[in-house]
Amino acid sequence: LAKTTQPISMDSYEGQEVNITCSHNNIATNDYITWYQQFPSQGPRFIIQGYKTKVTNEVASLFIPADRKSSTLSLPRVSLSDTAVYYCLVGDGAEDGNNRLAFGKGNQVVVIP
Amino acid sequence: DTAVSQTPKYLVTQMGNDKSIKCEQNLGHDTMYWYKQDSKKFLKIMFSYNNKELIINETVPNRFSPKSPDKAHLNLHINSLELGDSAVYFCASSQVSGVYNEQFFGPGTRLTVL
């Protein structure tokens, strides 16, 4: 059972704001929502994490509605170097108590000049 | 200094061989992980160690054996390599165990089994 659902891919022009949505209908009460970014031929890199409402850092903003069944990662004024796969993750509540990050397929974002 | 390093970066080998991938982190973290990313880009956790103790062991063939000589190192040994083992293997570390702790990933090791 997939923990998160994201669009497979999206294109955006340089300089635009990019909003990437993620559905997590079965999110558990104690789950946080975490986003990672993966450039080609590199390992994933942590971007941002939140539990509810809005979180902002120097890279992105994360918007989480009250029901927490979805979230939106917002990248302000993207550049070509923001072309990457973006993963939305929640803990998968494994029975052994050691939660894992469940990486889905991710969302391939391509920034066009 | 590279925070999480892996060697080798590329590994090409024949079916049936045994190979190892090494991982080292200089972040002083307690927890280390091995992930496998297949050709469809699915990234799946394989193992996790916390202070040299195995805490996560996913459904991975017994041919895969992790070893943690100390908390800064987590190596992955693979016996009797198969075609389906071809993938990119990522090592990662986090300060402590727990899914909400930021994980730092290595550059990956691309394994090709012929």
Side-chain angles (χ1 to χ4, degrees):
Chain A
L1 180 65
K3 291 292 292 187
T4 62
T5 304
Q6 302 176 243
I8 293 176
S9 65
M10 61 190 302
D11 296 342
S12 179
Y13 287 101
E14 219 176 352
Q16 288 187 330
E17 177 184 78
V18 171
N19 295 309
I20 308 169
T21 59
C22 179
S23 297
H24 26 80
N25 292 318
N26 298 321
I27 190 169
T29 304
N30 61 343
D31 278 344
Y32 278 70
I33 300 151
T34 309
W35 286 78
Y36 279 75
Q37 172 190 55
Q38 186 177 22
F39 296 116
S41 301
Q42 294 186 27
R45 185 181 73 162
F46 175 92
I47 303 175
I48 198 167
Q49 184 181 82
Y51 184 79
K52 61 180 179 180
T53 63
K54 177 184 175 182
V55 180
T56 297
N57 62 22
E58 64 277 5
V59 176
S61 294
L62 179 59
F63 299 91
I64 305 168
D67 66 7
R68 303 197 335 116
K69 293 183 182 298
S70 66
S71 58
T72 300
L73 176 74
S74 181
L75 306 173
R77 298 201 306 278
V78 293
S79 63
L80 297 178
S81 62
D82 292 316
T83 292
V85 177
Y86 292 82
Y87 293 95
C88 164
L89 304 94
V90 298
D92 75 352
E95 291 183 358
D96 62 8
N98 284 305
N99 285 359
R100 303 118 162 88
L101 283 179
F103 284 84
K105 294 181 181 180
N107 182 331
Q108 172 70 63
V109 172
V110 177
V111 180
I112 306 166
Chain B
D1 278 349
T2 303
V4 181
S5 59
Q6 296 178 227
T7 54
K9 189 168 176 61
Y10 299 97
L11 185 53
V12 181
T13 189
Q14 300 286 335
M15 277 176 58
N17 284 348
D18 303 337
K19 291 293 179 185
S20 292
I21 307 172
K22 296 184 177 181
C23 178
E24 177 181 0
Q25 54 96 2
N26 63 5
L27 298 168
H29 289 169
D30 285 347
T31 308
M32 296 185 72
Y33 312 81
W34 275 110
Y35 286 86
K36 178 182 180 181
Q37 188 166 43
D38 61 23
S39 57
K40 296 182 179 179
K41 303 299 183 183
F42 279 106
L43 189 61
K44 296 181 180 178
I45 191 167
M46 301 172 69
F47 302 102
S48 177
Y49 273 72
N50 186 55
N51 275 322
K52 302 192 298 176
E53 298 288 331
L54 181 65
I55 58 171
I56 293 177
N57 186 354
E58 289 296 274
T59 307
V60 177
N62 291 336
R63 300 182 293 103
F64 290 79
S65 55
K67 283 191 172 46
S68 182
D70 55 63
K71 71 176 191 178
H73 296 84
L74 180 62
N75 303 322
L76 182 66
H77 188 76
I78 315 170
N79 289 326
S80 303
L81 278 156
E82 301 177 357
L83 294 176
D85 298 332
S86 295
V88 181
Y89 292 84
F90 288 101
C91 177
S93 72
S94 62
Q95 191 165 13
V96 293
S97 63
V99 66
Y100 309 124
N101 290 284
E102 179 180 351
Q103 293 187 24
F104 293 79
F105 283 78
T109 295
R110 182 174 293 277
L111 172 64
T112 303
V113 182
L114 303 176

